[in-house]
Amino acid sequence: MINGMHIDKVALDSSLCFHSCVLDGIITSVKVEEDTRNIMKEVEFHGCELKGQYHIENSDIEKFSFNFSNVDESGRLRLSQCKIKDFVAGCSTVSGQMDVTENEISEICLEGTCIRGFLNFQGNTITNFSDRQTLCLLKNEARKVNDDVAATQLYAKEMRLLLADKSISRIDKASLWLSRLFSGFGENWVQAFLVTFGLSVLLTSAMLGVGSTKYGFDLTGEFIGLKYFISTLLDSINVFSIPLFRDTIEEYGLNVWGQILYFVIKIVVAYGSYQFVLAFRKHGRR
């Protein structure tokens, strides 16, 4: 059992390892001199029980690993303002508190880690997430503290990895592709609006051009008129006008293709509206 250690202004070419230890009150920090940092090749915890507090600040660490270890209910592990090339916490349990804040991390992996207590993961700059499980864990922890903006960003990254997964079905891939197309997996409400509006204009033009016996494309280039086109567009994107479908067929002279496109427009608008609201509300949830 190690009860209290203070490490400052170190430059280790080798590793600082703790194997099968019970740790209490170990501190590695630099606060007095702003330009001084700890430089460590590797900080490793393997099979350890952290019952006290371990603070690591202002350190350049090539690899930080916390494997097969546990942060006890009374324990706290904190990393702040560090530059970490490789952050690994595998097959470990956090029953107490882990704070990872304001760090620059090149790659992070939390595969197999269980968070029973609290993980504070704020203000970090992450270059690469190693796997989808890591993103899912961080997303769920963000939702615990109602940080919906961070949760949405992590969810989008998670879905991008899932989209690249060859094991999922084509139907799931199609659903993910549509979510990415319309709103970037719920991140961008402007994209949702522009894509929905753009597709509505394109499909309405196709409905009048190839789906209407009354207003087909004129080879002379004569246009039906902007006012009438806008009126048709507004009628097409009105998802509540489906009960008036019979009147719409007669008014626009829709053939089979026109009728199909009419319903496709409704589906596009309904789905686009859902994606718009989903992305827009990420800043307003509580």
Short mmCIF file of all heavy atoms in Angstrom, two decimals, residues 16-21 23 42-50 63-71 77 79 86-94 98 107-114 130-131 134:
data_model
loop_
_atom_site.label_atom_id
_atom_site.label_comp_id
_atom_site.label_asym_id
_atom_site.label_seq_id
_atom_site.Cartn_x
_atom_site.Cartn_y
_atom_site.Cartn_z
N LEU A 16 6.57 4.91 -15.45
CA LEU A 16 6.19 4.98 -14.04
C LEU A 16 5.02 4.02 -13.86
O LEU A 16 3.91 4.29 -14.32
CB LEU A 16 5.78 6.41 -13.67
CG LEU A 16 5.27 6.63 -12.24
CD1 LEU A 16 6.36 6.32 -11.22
CD2 LEU A 16 4.79 8.06 -12.06
N CYS A 17 5.27 2.88 -13.26
CA CYS A 17 4.28 1.80 -13.22
C CYS A 17 3.87 1.48 -11.78
O CYS A 17 4.70 1.47 -10.87
CB CYS A 17 4.84 0.54 -13.88
SG CYS A 17 5.36 0.76 -15.59
N PHE A 18 2.58 1.22 -11.63
CA PHE A 18 2.04 0.74 -10.36
C PHE A 18 1.31 -0.57 -10.66
O PHE A 18 0.31 -0.58 -11.37
CB PHE A 18 1.07 1.76 -9.76
CG PHE A 18 1.69 3.10 -9.48
CD1 PHE A 18 1.64 4.12 -10.43
CD2 PHE A 18 2.34 3.34 -8.28
CE1 PHE A 18 2.22 5.35 -10.18
CE2 PHE A 18 2.92 4.58 -8.02
CZ PHE A 18 2.86 5.59 -8.98
N HIS A 19 1.81 -1.67 -10.11
CA HIS A 19 1.23 -2.98 -10.36
C HIS A 19 0.71 -3.57 -9.05
O HIS A 19 1.45 -3.66 -8.06
CB HIS A 19 2.25 -3.93 -10.97
CG HIS A 19 2.52 -3.66 -12.41
ND1 HIS A 19 3.05 -4.60 -13.27
CD2 HIS A 19 2.30 -2.56 -13.18
CE1 HIS A 19 3.17 -4.10 -14.48
NE2 HIS A 19 2.72 -2.85 -14.44
N SER A 20 -0.58 -3.95 -9.05
CA SER A 20 -1.19 -4.63 -7.89
C SER A 20 -0.96 -3.84 -6.61
O SER A 20 -0.56 -4.40 -5.57
CB SER A 20 -0.63 -6.05 -7.75
OG SER A 20 -0.82 -6.79 -8.94
N CYS A 21 -1.23 -2.55 -6.66
CA CYS A 21 -1.04 -1.68 -5.50
C CYS A 21 -2.37 -1.14 -4.99
O CYS A 21 -3.35 -1.05 -5.74
CB CYS A 21 -0.14 -0.49 -5.85
SG CYS A 21 1.52 -0.93 -6.36
N LEU A 23 -3.53 2.36 -3.70
CA LEU A 23 -2.99 3.72 -3.77
C LEU A 23 -3.86 4.70 -3.00
O LEU A 23 -5.09 4.65 -3.07
CB LEU A 23 -2.90 4.17 -5.24
CG LEU A 23 -2.10 3.24 -6.15
CD1 LEU A 23 -2.25 3.68 -7.59
CD2 LEU A 23 -0.65 3.21 -5.75
N GLU A 42 5.62 6.82 -19.91
CA GLU A 42 4.41 6.03 -19.67
C GLU A 42 4.04 6.08 -18.20
O GLU A 42 4.90 5.99 -17.33
CB GLU A 42 4.61 4.58 -20.11
CG GLU A 42 3.37 3.72 -19.92
CD GLU A 42 3.56 2.30 -20.41
OE1 GLU A 42 4.68 1.96 -20.84
OE2 GLU A 42 2.59 1.52 -20.36
N VAL A 43 2.74 6.22 -17.95
CA VAL A 43 2.19 6.09 -16.60
C VAL A 43 1.21 4.92 -16.65
O VAL A 43 0.23 4.97 -17.39
CB VAL A 43 1.47 7.37 -16.14
CG1 VAL A 43 0.87 7.16 -14.75
CG2 VAL A 43 2.44 8.54 -16.12
N GLU A 44 1.50 3.88 -15.87
CA GLU A 44 0.71 2.67 -15.96
C GLU A 44 0.17 2.23 -14.61
O GLU A 44 0.89 2.19 -13.62
CB GLU A 44 1.56 1.52 -16.55
CG GLU A 44 0.79 0.21 -16.68
CD GLU A 44 1.65 -0.92 -17.18
OE1 GLU A 44 2.87 -0.71 -17.36
OE2 GLU A 44 1.12 -2.02 -17.39
N PHE A 45 -1.14 1.94 -14.60
CA PHE A 45 -1.77 1.32 -13.44
C PHE A 45 -2.29 -0.04 -13.89
O PHE A 45 -3.07 -0.12 -14.84
CB PHE A 45 -2.96 2.17 -12.95
CG PHE A 45 -2.57 3.54 -12.48
CD1 PHE A 45 -2.48 4.59 -13.39
CD2 PHE A 45 -2.31 3.79 -11.15
CE1 PHE A 45 -2.14 5.86 -12.97
CE2 PHE A 45 -1.97 5.07 -10.72
CZ PHE A 45 -1.88 6.09 -11.63
N HIS A 46 -1.87 -1.10 -13.22
CA HIS A 46 -2.30 -2.44 -13.60
C HIS A 46 -2.69 -3.21 -12.34
O HIS A 46 -1.85 -3.47 -11.47
CB HIS A 46 -1.20 -3.18 -14.36
CG HIS A 46 -1.64 -4.49 -14.94
ND1 HIS A 46 -2.16 -4.59 -16.22
CD2 HIS A 46 -1.68 -5.74 -14.41
CE1 HIS A 46 -2.47 -5.85 -16.46
NE2 HIS A 46 -2.20 -6.58 -15.37
N GLY A 47 -3.96 -3.57 -12.26
CA GLY A 47 -4.43 -4.32 -11.09
C GLY A 47 -4.38 -3.52 -9.81
O GLY A 47 -4.15 -4.09 -8.73
N CYS A 48 -4.61 -2.21 -9.90
CA CYS A 48 -4.51 -1.34 -8.73
C CYS A 48 -5.87 -0.97 -8.16
O CYS A 48 -6.88 -0.96 -8.88
CB CYS A 48 -3.74 -0.06 -9.08
SG CYS A 48 -2.01 -0.36 -9.52
N GLU A 49 -5.87 -0.63 -6.89
CA GLU A 49 -7.06 -0.15 -6.20
C GLU A 49 -6.78 1.27 -5.73
O GLU A 49 -5.90 1.50 -4.88
CB GLU A 49 -7.38 -1.04 -5.00
CG GLU A 49 -8.65 -0.69 -4.25
CD GLU A 49 -9.90 -1.25 -4.89
OE1 GLU A 49 -9.76 -2.10 -5.80
OE2 GLU A 49 -11.00 -0.86 -4.48
N LEU A 50 -7.49 2.25 -6.31
CA LEU A 50 -7.27 3.65 -5.96
C LEU A 50 -8.32 4.08 -4.94
O LEU A 50 -9.48 4.28 -5.27
CB LEU A 50 -7.35 4.53 -7.21
CG LEU A 50 -7.12 6.03 -7.02
CD1 LEU A 50 -5.76 6.29 -6.39
CD2 LEU A 50 -7.23 6.76 -8.34
N LYS A 63 2.13 7.60 -23.02
CA LYS A 63 1.04 6.63 -22.88
C LYS A 63 0.57 6.59 -21.42
O LYS A 63 1.36 6.43 -20.51
CB LYS A 63 1.49 5.23 -23.31
CG LYS A 63 0.36 4.20 -23.22
CD LYS A 63 0.79 2.83 -23.74
CE LYS A 63 -0.37 1.84 -23.67
NZ LYS A 63 0.02 0.49 -24.17
N PHE A 64 -0.75 6.73 -21.25
CA PHE A 64 -1.37 6.59 -19.94
C PHE A 64 -2.29 5.38 -19.99
O PHE A 64 -3.19 5.32 -20.85
CB PHE A 64 -2.17 7.84 -19.57
CG PHE A 64 -2.91 7.71 -18.27
CD1 PHE A 64 -2.30 8.06 -17.07
CD2 PHE A 64 -4.22 7.22 -18.23
CE1 PHE A 64 -2.97 7.93 -15.86
CE2 PHE A 64 -4.89 7.09 -17.03
CZ PHE A 64 -4.27 7.44 -15.84
N SER A 65 -2.06 4.41 -19.12
CA SER A 65 -2.89 3.20 -19.13
C SER A 65 -3.41 2.90 -17.72
O SER A 65 -2.68 2.99 -16.74
CB SER A 65 -2.11 2.01 -19.68
OG SER A 65 -0.96 1.75 -18.89
N PHE A 66 -4.69 2.55 -17.68
CA PHE A 66 -5.37 2.21 -16.43
C PHE A 66 -6.14 0.92 -16.70
O PHE A 66 -7.31 0.94 -17.09
CB PHE A 66 -6.32 3.35 -16.02
CG PHE A 66 -6.88 3.23 -14.64
CD1 PHE A 66 -6.14 3.62 -13.53
CD2 PHE A 66 -8.17 2.75 -14.44
CE1 PHE A 66 -6.66 3.52 -12.26
CE2 PHE A 66 -8.70 2.65 -13.16
CZ PHE A 66 -7.94 3.03 -12.06
N ASN A 67 -5.47 -0.22 -16.49
CA ASN A 67 -6.02 -1.50 -16.91
C ASN A 67 -6.26 -2.43 -15.71
O ASN A 67 -5.43 -2.49 -14.79
CB ASN A 67 -5.07 -2.19 -17.89
CG ASN A 67 -4.92 -1.41 -19.18
OD1 ASN A 67 -5.89 -0.87 -19.72
ND2 ASN A 67 -3.70 -1.32 -19.69
N PHE A 68 -7.39 -3.13 -15.75
CA PHE A 68 -7.75 -4.09 -14.71
C PHE A 68 -7.63 -3.47 -13.32
O PHE A 68 -7.18 -4.12 -12.37
CB PHE A 68 -6.88 -5.35 -14.82
CG PHE A 68 -6.98 -6.04 -16.14
CD1 PHE A 68 -6.00 -5.86 -17.11
CD2 PHE A 68 -8.06 -6.85 -16.43
CE1 PHE A 68 -6.09 -6.49 -18.35
CE2 PHE A 68 -8.16 -7.48 -17.67
CZ PHE A 68 -7.18 -7.30 -18.62
N SER A 69 -8.03 -2.22 -13.23
CA SER A 69 -7.91 -1.48 -11.97
C SER A 69 -9.27 -0.91 -11.57
O SER A 69 -10.24 -0.98 -12.33
CB SER A 69 -6.87 -0.36 -12.11
OG SER A 69 -5.60 -0.90 -12.43
N ASN A 70 -9.31 -0.31 -10.38
CA ASN A 70 -10.57 0.19 -9.87
C ASN A 70 -10.36 1.50 -9.12
O ASN A 70 -9.43 1.61 -8.30
CB ASN A 70 -11.21 -0.84 -8.93
CG ASN A 70 -12.49 -0.32 -8.28
OD1 ASN A 70 -13.33 0.28 -8.95
ND2 ASN A 70 -12.63 -0.52 -6.99
N VAL A 71 -11.20 2.48 -9.42
CA VAL A 71 -11.26 3.70 -8.61
C VAL A 71 -12.34 3.46 -7.57
O VAL A 71 -13.53 3.36 -7.91
CB VAL A 71 -11.58 4.94 -9.46
CG1 VAL A 71 -11.65 6.18 -8.57
CG2 VAL A 71 -10.52 5.14 -10.54
N LEU A 77 -9.47 9.94 -9.43
CA LEU A 77 -8.35 10.02 -10.36
C LEU A 77 -8.58 11.22 -11.27
O LEU A 77 -9.61 11.31 -11.93
CB LEU A 77 -8.24 8.74 -11.19
CG LEU A 77 -7.17 8.72 -12.29
CD1 LEU A 77 -5.78 8.89 -11.71
CD2 LEU A 77 -7.25 7.41 -13.10
N LEU A 79 -6.89 13.87 -14.23
CA LEU A 79 -5.89 14.31 -15.20
C LEU A 79 -6.34 15.63 -15.78
O LEU A 79 -7.44 15.74 -16.33
CB LEU A 79 -5.72 13.28 -16.32
CG LEU A 79 -5.05 11.95 -15.97
CD1 LEU A 79 -6.11 10.93 -15.57
CD2 LEU A 79 -4.24 11.43 -17.15
N ASP A 86 -1.42 8.55 -26.01
CA ASP A 86 -2.27 7.36 -26.03
C ASP A 86 -2.90 7.18 -24.65
O ASP A 86 -2.18 6.96 -23.67
CB ASP A 86 -1.43 6.13 -26.41
CG ASP A 86 -2.29 4.92 -26.73
OD1 ASP A 86 -3.53 5.08 -26.83
OD2 ASP A 86 -1.74 3.81 -26.88
N PHE A 87 -4.23 7.27 -24.58
CA PHE A 87 -4.96 7.13 -23.31
C PHE A 87 -5.75 5.83 -23.36
O PHE A 87 -6.64 5.66 -24.21
CB PHE A 87 -5.90 8.32 -23.11
CG PHE A 87 -6.62 8.34 -21.78
CD1 PHE A 87 -6.23 9.21 -20.78
CD2 PHE A 87 -7.69 7.49 -21.54
CE1 PHE A 87 -6.89 9.23 -19.56
CE2 PHE A 87 -8.35 7.50 -20.33
CZ PHE A 87 -7.96 8.37 -19.33
N VAL A 88 -5.45 4.89 -22.45
CA VAL A 88 -6.11 3.59 -22.45
C VAL A 88 -6.62 3.29 -21.05
O VAL A 88 -5.86 3.33 -20.07
CB VAL A 88 -5.15 2.46 -22.88
CG1 VAL A 88 -5.88 1.11 -22.85
CG2 VAL A 88 -4.59 2.73 -24.27
N ALA A 89 -7.91 3.01 -20.94
CA ALA A 89 -8.51 2.54 -19.69
C ALA A 89 -9.33 1.32 -20.04
O ALA A 89 -10.48 1.42 -20.48
CB ALA A 89 -9.37 3.62 -19.05
N GLY A 90 -8.73 0.14 -19.89
CA GLY A 90 -9.37 -1.07 -20.35
C GLY A 90 -9.72 -2.03 -19.23
O GLY A 90 -8.94 -2.22 -18.29
N CYS A 91 -10.92 -2.61 -19.31
CA CYS A 91 -11.37 -3.63 -18.36
C CYS A 91 -11.22 -3.14 -16.92
O CYS A 91 -10.79 -3.89 -16.03
CB CYS A 91 -10.60 -4.93 -18.56
SG CYS A 91 -10.78 -5.64 -20.21
N SER A 92 -11.57 -1.89 -16.69
CA SER A 92 -11.47 -1.30 -15.35
C SER A 92 -12.84 -0.82 -14.88
O SER A 92 -13.80 -0.76 -15.66
CB SER A 92 -10.47 -0.13 -15.37
OG SER A 92 -9.18 -0.58 -15.71
N THR A 93 -12.90 -0.47 -13.60
CA THR A 93 -14.15 -0.02 -13.00
C THR A 93 -13.92 1.32 -12.31
O THR A 93 -12.93 1.49 -11.59
CB THR A 93 -14.68 -1.04 -11.98
OG1 THR A 93 -14.85 -2.31 -12.61
CG2 THR A 93 -16.02 -0.59 -11.40
N VAL A 94 -14.83 2.24 -12.54
CA VAL A 94 -14.79 3.54 -11.85
C VAL A 94 -16.00 3.59 -10.92
O VAL A 94 -17.11 3.91 -11.35
CB VAL A 94 -14.79 4.71 -12.84
CG1 VAL A 94 -14.77 6.04 -12.08
CG2 VAL A 94 -13.60 4.62 -13.77
N MET A 98 -13.67 9.93 -11.74
CA MET A 98 -12.55 10.13 -12.65
C MET A 98 -12.76 11.43 -13.40
O MET A 98 -13.78 11.62 -14.05
CB MET A 98 -12.40 8.97 -13.64
CG MET A 98 -11.27 9.16 -14.64
SD MET A 98 -11.14 7.84 -15.89
CE MET A 98 -10.42 6.53 -14.90
N GLU A 107 -5.16 9.77 -28.98
CA GLU A 107 -6.05 8.63 -29.17
C GLU A 107 -6.51 8.12 -27.82
O GLU A 107 -5.73 8.04 -26.87
CB GLU A 107 -5.38 7.50 -29.95
CG GLU A 107 -6.32 6.34 -30.24
CD GLU A 107 -5.76 5.36 -31.26
OE1 GLU A 107 -4.64 5.60 -31.75
OE2 GLU A 107 -6.45 4.38 -31.58
N ILE A 108 -7.82 7.78 -27.74
CA ILE A 108 -8.38 7.30 -26.48
C ILE A 108 -9.13 5.99 -26.70
O ILE A 108 -9.82 5.81 -27.70
CB ILE A 108 -9.31 8.36 -25.86
CG1 ILE A 108 -9.83 7.89 -24.50
CG2 ILE A 108 -10.47 8.72 -26.80
CD1 ILE A 108 -10.56 8.97 -23.72
N CYS A 109 -8.98 5.07 -25.73
CA CYS A 109 -9.67 3.79 -25.77
C CYS A 109 -10.18 3.46 -24.37
O CYS A 109 -9.40 3.41 -23.42
CB CYS A 109 -8.74 2.69 -26.26
SG CYS A 109 -9.50 1.05 -26.24
N LEU A 110 -11.49 3.25 -24.25
CA LEU A 110 -12.11 2.92 -22.97
C LEU A 110 -12.83 1.57 -23.06
O LEU A 110 -13.80 1.34 -22.33
CB LEU A 110 -13.10 4.01 -22.55
CG LEU A 110 -12.53 5.43 -22.41
CD1 LEU A 110 -13.64 6.41 -22.08
CD2 LEU A 110 -11.45 5.49 -21.35
N GLU A 111 -12.38 0.71 -23.92
CA GLU A 111 -13.05 -0.56 -24.17
C GLU A 111 -13.04 -1.43 -22.91
O GLU A 111 -12.00 -1.64 -22.28
CB GLU A 111 -12.37 -1.30 -25.31
CG GLU A 111 -13.09 -2.57 -25.73
CD GLU A 111 -12.43 -3.25 -26.91
OE1 GLU A 111 -11.37 -2.77 -27.34
OE2 GLU A 111 -12.98 -4.25 -27.40
N GLY A 112 -14.22 -1.92 -22.54
CA GLY A 112 -14.34 -2.82 -21.39
C GLY A 112 -14.39 -2.12 -20.06
O GLY A 112 -14.41 -2.78 -19.01
N THR A 113 -14.44 -0.81 -20.05
CA THR A 113 -14.48 -0.06 -18.79
C THR A 113 -15.92 0.17 -18.34
O THR A 113 -16.79 0.46 -19.16
CB THR A 113 -13.76 1.30 -18.94
OG1 THR A 113 -12.37 1.06 -19.19
CG2 THR A 113 -13.89 2.14 -17.69
N CYS A 114 -16.14 0.02 -17.04
CA CYS A 114 -17.47 0.19 -16.46
C CYS A 114 -17.48 1.41 -15.56
O CYS A 114 -16.64 1.53 -14.65
CB CYS A 114 -17.86 -1.06 -15.67
SG CYS A 114 -19.44 -0.94 -14.81
N SER A 130 -10.70 5.30 -30.61
CA SER A 130 -10.27 4.01 -31.14
C SER A 130 -11.41 3.11 -31.55
O SER A 130 -11.27 2.31 -32.48
CB SER A 130 -9.40 3.29 -30.12
OG SER A 130 -10.16 2.94 -28.96
N ASP A 131 -12.56 3.20 -30.88
CA ASP A 131 -13.65 2.27 -31.19
C ASP A 131 -14.99 2.89 -30.80
O ASP A 131 -15.07 3.92 -30.11
CB ASP A 131 -13.46 0.94 -30.45
CG ASP A 131 -13.26 1.13 -28.96
OD1 ASP A 131 -14.23 1.45 -28.27
OD2 ASP A 131 -12.11 0.99 -28.49
N THR A 134 -16.00 3.15 -26.95
CA THR A 134 -15.49 4.34 -26.26
C THR A 134 -16.41 5.53 -26.45
O THR A 134 -16.75 6.24 -25.51
CB THR A 134 -14.07 4.68 -26.77
OG1 THR A 134 -13.19 3.60 -26.47
CG2 THR A 134 -13.55 5.95 -26.13
#
